[in-house]
Amino acid sequence: NNKTVQTVTIGKNVKNIGKAAFMGCTKLTKVTIEKNVSSIGAKAFYKCKKLKSINIKTTKLALKNVDKNAFKGIQKNATVTVPAKKYKSYKTILEKRGIGKKVTVKKKK
């Protein structure tokens, strides 16, 4: 776990982001989650205080496979881009898993 990493792309060969995978990576600013990811562990991005840009490409996430506090403690005014057809469900998942009220969730064009 490299605490100084700034940009991460979770590749096409990854299906699960592990528990606390990037927890406390205080320099992390941008994350891309590719199409095959189907689960995100508890506190995966917990307290990544500078994380301001998350691009979710996968359509396989559901509330039951995104664990508690996965996104808690990211930057207050971050932007999360999600697939347009999953906008409503992903917005709910993200809110229940820790994003703040000022985080913008937007549809991918």
Side-chain angles (χ1 to χ4, degrees), residues 69-101:
N69 297 324
F71 296 97
K72 191 169 178 87
I74 66 169
Q75 196 174 81
K76 284 186 177 110
N77 56 351
T79 300
V80 184
T81 306
V82 300
K85 66 182 178 181
K86 290 287 191 174
Y87 174 78
K88 202 169 184 178
S89 65
Y90 278 21
K91 190 170 178 6
T92 301
I93 291 168
L94 291 163
E95 287 170 354
K96 289 190 176 193
R97 296 308 185 233
I99 65 166
K101 295 193 184 320

Side-chain angles (χ1 to χ4, degrees), residues 6-109:
Q6 293 180 322
T7 304
V8 171
T9 297
I10 291 134
K12 291 181 174 92
N13 296 330
V14 177
K15 290 190 187 302
N16 308 306
I17 300 171
K19 182 178 181 182
F22 299 96
M23 185 167 104
C25 288
T26 54
K27 305 249 191 273
L28 187 63
T29 60
K30 186 176 182 183
V31 171
T32 301
I33 300 173
E34 289 291 346
K35 292 182 167 124
N36 290 326
V37 174
S38 59
S39 71
I40 300 174
K43 296 186 176 180
F45 299 100
Y46 186 69
K47 290 195 175 177
C48 293
K49 293 177 184 146
K50 291 187 179 175
L51 182 52
K52 64 180 186 232
S53 174
I54 302 173
N55 183 359
I56 300 176
K57 294 182 176 180
T58 182
T59 56
K60 300 176 181 178
L61 298 176
L63 187 61
K64 69 179 190 281
N65 55 20
V66 178
D67 293 333
K68 279 187 181 168
N69 297 324
F71 296 97
K72 191 169 178 87
I74 66 169
Q75 196 174 81
K76 284 186 177 110
N77 56 351
T79 300
V80 184
T81 306
V82 300
K85 66 182 178 181
K86 290 287 191 174
Y87 174 78
K88 202 169 184 178
S89 65
Y90 278 21
K91 190 170 178 6
T92 301
I93 291 168
L94 291 163
E95 287 170 354
K96 289 190 176 193
R97 296 308 185 233
I99 65 166
K101 295 193 184 320
K102 292 182 182 174
V103 172
T104 303
V105 178
K106 65 181 191 179
K107 296 174 189 174
K108 180 180 221 107
K109 292 181 174 147

